[in-house]
Amino acid sequence: MKKILVMLAAVAAVAISSAARAEYPDRIVRIVVPFTAGGAVDLVARVMARYLSEQFHQEVYVDNRPGASGNLGAQQVEQAPADGTTLLFSASTFVVNPVVAAEPPPFDPLKDFTPLGLIAKGPLLFIAHAGVADGVQDFVAKAKAHPEAFNFATGGYGSAGHMAAESFKLRAGLSVPVVLYKGTGPAFTDLMGGTISGMLDPLVTSLPLAQGKQASALAIAASARSALAPDVPTFSEAGYPGFEFYTWYGLWGPANLPPNVVATISRALAAIGASGDTQKWFSGQGLEYSGIGGQSFVDFSKKEQSLYADIMKRGNITRQ
C-alpha cells in the first residue's frame, strides 16, 4: 500500500507539473528593450508586445532599460528566471557587438540566451546629399576622383549602417572616411547640409528625406526593389551584384527556457506572421516579418557575426 501511495503521489506531481507548464504564460510577460523609448527598436517591440498579448491572452509590456550600448538591459534578461516572463527584444547590434566592440559584452549572445525568433529585417537605403551624384556609379567615380571631398556617415558604431558603408567602400574601392555620429538625427542634418556625402540607413528612416527632396536615394541594398520606393534601383541594378545589407530585430529569452515555453512562443510568432494585418504593418515600415526561430535563427546570427567580423578585418577597422 505504501508503494502504491508513493506511485500515486509521483503521478500526481507529474500531472501538476504538466498542468503548470501548459499554463504558460500564467503571469504578465515583460519584454526588455535595451534602448530608449521612441527609437526603431522600441517601436517594433511595442507592436510585437501587442500582438503577443493577443496570442497569449495575457498582458505583455515593454520595459526600456537603456545603457552600456544595450548590454545593461540584456544582462537583466540573462539573469532573469528562465520561466518566459522576462524576454529581450533587440536589434542586430546585440549579436554583433562581440565582434565589433572594443570591450565585448559580459555575456555571449549565442550561448547565454535562448533564441526565440528573428522578428523582422529591412534593407538599407543609400542616400546622398541632394545633387552630389546622379547614381551609385557617378558617386563612386566622383569619390575616386576627389576622395578629399567625399565621406560617409553612420549614426552608430558597429551598426548595420556603419558596416554597410565600410563594406561598400571595400566593394567599390573607395578611400573615404566614415564619420561616426552619436545618433542618426545629427548625421541626417549634416547630410542635408552637405557636410556628409552619403549614408546607408534603414529604408524606413531614410526614405522620407529622399521623398522630401532633402537627399537623393541612389540604391537599395536588397534583392529586389521596395514597394515603398519602386523607382530606386537595387545595388545589383546599379552595377554591384549581390550587395545586400539589412537591419534586423530579434527576440530572446534567458538560457535554458523550458521547451513548452519555447514552443508556445514559437506558435505565437507563427500565428502573428500569418496575419494580414501583421504583414501590412511591417511592410509599411520597410520591414519583412520573419518569425523563424530555433537553429535557423542561430545559424542566421552566426552568419551575421561572421559577416561583420570579415568587414572589420578586411577594412582594418579599429574596435571602439
Side-chain angles (χ1 to χ4, degrees):
M1 178 62 71
K2 184 176 181 180
K3 289 183 178 180
I4 293 175
L5 290 175
V6 170
M7 290 176 63
L8 290 174
V11 171
V14 171
I16 292 172
S17 176
S18 298
R21 288 197 299 269
E23 290 173 356
Y24 174 81
D26 60 348
R27 286 172 286 166
I28 293 174
V29 175
R30 175 175 69 128
I31 294 181
V32 174
V33 171
F35 303 103
T36 56
V41 181
D42 179 69
L43 171 66
V44 181
R46 290 181 185 278
V47 170
M48 286 303 298
R50 175 165 58 83
Y51 286 150
L52 286 170
S53 293
E54 295 171 356
Q55 291 295 319
F56 289 162
H57 303 290
Q58 179 65 263
E59 180 182 352
V60 179
Y61 74 99
V62 168
D63 183 13
N64 297 93
R65 297 287 176 170
S69 299
N71 293 336
L72 183 62
Q75 272 191 287
Q76 290 191 6
V77 177
E78 180 199 12
Q79 297 166 3
D83 57 8
T85 58
T86 300
L87 305 176
L88 173 70
F89 192 95
S90 194
S92 55
T93 50
F94 170 67
V95 165
V96 302
N97 265 342
V99 299
V100 301
E103 294 184 13
F107 51 75
D108 187 331
L110 299 182
K111 296 180 179 179
D112 299 330
F113 294 80
T114 299
L116 296 172
L118 168 64
I119 300 304
K121 66 176 186 176
L124 302 186
L125 185 68
F126 182 11
I127 55 174
H129 174 63
V132 76
D134 294 330
V136 178
Q137 296 282 10
D138 187 38
F139 185 98
V140 170
K142 290 178 177 177
K144 285 183 175 180
H146 304 283
E148 74 287 349
F150 279 75
N151 54 28
F152 285 96
T154 177
Y157 175 83
S159 66
H162 179 202
M163 291 294 103
E166 296 285 4
S167 181
F168 182 67
K169 281 174 52 183
L170 292 168
R171 180 70 180 273
L174 296 179
S175 297
V176 300
V178 176
V179 183
L180 177 62
Y181 284 79
K182 293 183 178 180
T184 302
F188 278 171
T189 298
D190 281 358
L191 177 85
M192 291 184 288
T195 304
I196 293 299
S197 310
M199 285 183 67
L200 280 102
D201 188 75
L203 177 69
V204 65
T205 49
S206 56
L207 183 59
L209 295 185
Q211 292 173 329
K213 307 301 181 183
Q214 297 168 300
S216 299
L218 303 186
I220 187 169
S223 59
R225 296 193 182 198
S226 170
L228 298 181
D231 295 331
V232 179
T234 64
F235 270 92
S236 292
E237 292 173 320
Y240 294 88
F243 186 84
E244 298 178 24
F245 231 100
Y246 300 85
T247 184
W248 56 272
Y249 309 95
L251 185 68
W252 295 265
N256 303 313
L257 279 186
N260 72 295
V261 172
V262 175
T264 298
I265 295 173
S266 296
R267 286 194 297 270
L269 294 181
I272 290 170
S275 166
D277 289 341
T278 300
Q279 299 295 341
K280 181 179 179 181
W281 187 86
F282 277 93
S283 62
Q285 311 306 310
L287 299 170
E288 177 185 354
Y289 185 85
S290 173
I292 64 166
Q295 190 59 46
S296 295
F297 187 24
V298 173
D299 292 343
F300 175 85
S301 299
K302 289 180 177 178
K303 186 176 180 181
E304 287 288 286
Q305 276 195 350
S306 296
L307 171 65
Y308 280 50
D310 181 62
I311 294 171
M312 294 287 289
K313 181 179 179 180
R314 291 192 297 117
N316 195 26
I317 303 168
T318 303
R319 289 184 176 225
Q320 296 184 25

